[in-house]
Amino acid sequence: MRLKILNWLRRPEDHFPPHNVVKHFNDGVCATYIQEKTNLSQSTISTYLSMMEKCGLLISTRHGKWSYFKRNEKLIAQYANTLK
Amino acid sequence: MRLKILNWLRRPEDHFPPHNVVKHFNDGVCATYIQEKTNLSQSTISTYLSMMEKCGLLISTRHGKWSYFKRNEKLIAQYANTLK
DNA sequence: TTGATATATCGAGATTTATCAATATGTTTG
DNA sequence: CAAACATATTGATAAATCTCGATATATCAA
C-alpha cells in the first residue's frame, strides 16, 4: 500500500480530487484524500505517512489543519539506486 | 540478509573462496559457502535460496551434490525498474 | 469558548516473517 | 551397498508487521 501511495504521489492530479482551500498540489496531497483512497483506517494512514516521512521518503507540510505529503524525490532516487 | 546475498553474488570472486570441484563461478556460488558467510542455519539458507529462485531473483544449477546459485540479472533489473 | 474537523498517539489482536533443530532426501565414493 | 556429505522439508517459536478502534491533540470557524 505504501508503494502505491508513493506511486500516486508522482502525479497527484491523476489520482486525487483537487483540494478546496489550497488550490494546488505543490506540497502534495492531504492525508484525508490518501486515507479515502486506500480504505485503510485514519490511524493507520496517519502512522504510515509519518513513518514514511521519518524515513525520508515523504516531505510533509502543514497548512492550517491539513497535512500535505509529497514525495521526497531526492531520497527516493537514492533508495532506488541503492537497491539497483 | 537476502539483499546482502544478492550483492555478494554480483562478484562472487570478491566474496567467496574458489570452488574445489567446479573451478569457476559461472553458475554462481554453492549453498554451503553462502550459508557459512551468513551464519544462518543450513535450513534457513536452503529455504531462502529456493524462495529467491522461485521469485526469479536467482537461477540455480545442480552439479552433482552441489547447488549453485547466481543472480538472474534480467529479472533483478526488472524488479529494480519497477521500484524505481 | 465551543463544536466541528483533521491529524496523531496508544494499546491490542491477528497475521506474517525470521529462524531454528530435527529429520528426510539426494548424490558421491569407497 | 553403506557411510559421508550436501541440500530440502517440516514443525515450531519468538519477533515483527499490519491494522484497527478508542482516545488525545491541534486547528478553524462561528
Side-chain angles (χ1 to χ4, degrees):
Chain A
M1 193 57 83
R2 272 162 284 182
L3 280 174
K4 277 192 194 170
I5 294 171
L6 280 179
N7 244 322
W8 294 334
L9 292 180
R10 285 166 170 283
R11 270 172 295 102
E13 55 282 4
D14 291 2
H15 302 283
F16 298 96
H19 289 128
N20 296 317
V21 174
V22 180
K23 298 284 189 195
H24 51 70
F25 290 113
N26 296 354
D27 293 315
V29 179
C30 70
T32 307
Y33 283 1
I34 297 175
Q35 192 247 306
E36 281 165 358
K37 198 167 171 77
T38 56
N39 272 321
L40 291 172
S41 75
Q42 183 270 320
S43 66
T44 298
I45 283 300
S46 173
T47 305
Y48 278 8
L49 294 175
S50 75
M51 286 165 91
M52 291 165 88
E53 196 210 348
K54 206 153 287 175
C55 291
L57 290 168
L58 295 180
I59 294 168
S60 83
T61 312
R62 186 119 187 177
H63 282 190
K65 58 180 168 178
W66 295 285
S67 275
Y68 297 82
F69 293 86
K70 69 177 171 191
R71 288 164 55 100
N72 184 350
E73 295 294 354
K74 198 170 175 120
L75 238 291
I76 290 174
Q78 257 176 259
Y79 271 102
N81 233 50
T82 299
L83 288 173
K84 196 155 197 177
Chain B
M1 194 56 83
R2 273 162 283 182
L3 281 174
K4 278 192 192 169
I5 293 170
L6 279 180
N7 245 321
W8 295 333
L9 291 181
R10 286 165 170 284
R11 270 172 294 103
E13 56 281 3
D14 291 1
H15 301 283
F16 298 96
H19 290 128
N20 296 317
V21 174
V22 180
K23 299 284 187 193
H24 53 70
F25 289 114
N26 297 354
D27 293 316
V29 178
C30 70
T32 307
Y33 282 3
I34 297 174
Q35 192 245 307
E36 281 165 358
K37 197 169 171 75
T38 57
N39 272 321
L40 292 172
S41 75
Q42 184 269 321
S43 68
T44 298
I45 282 301
S46 174
T47 305
Y48 278 9
L49 293 175
S50 76
M51 286 166 91
M52 291 165 89
E53 196 210 349
K54 206 153 287 174
C55 291
L57 290 169
L58 295 181
I59 294 169
S60 82
T61 312
R62 186 119 188 180
H63 282 191
K65 57 182 170 177
W66 295 285
S67 276
Y68 297 82
F69 293 86
K70 69 176 171 192
R71 288 163 55 100
N72 184 349
E73 295 294 354
K74 199 171 174 118
L75 238 290
I76 290 173
Q78 257 177 258
Y79 271 102
N81 232 50
T82 299
L83 288 173
K84 196 154 196 176

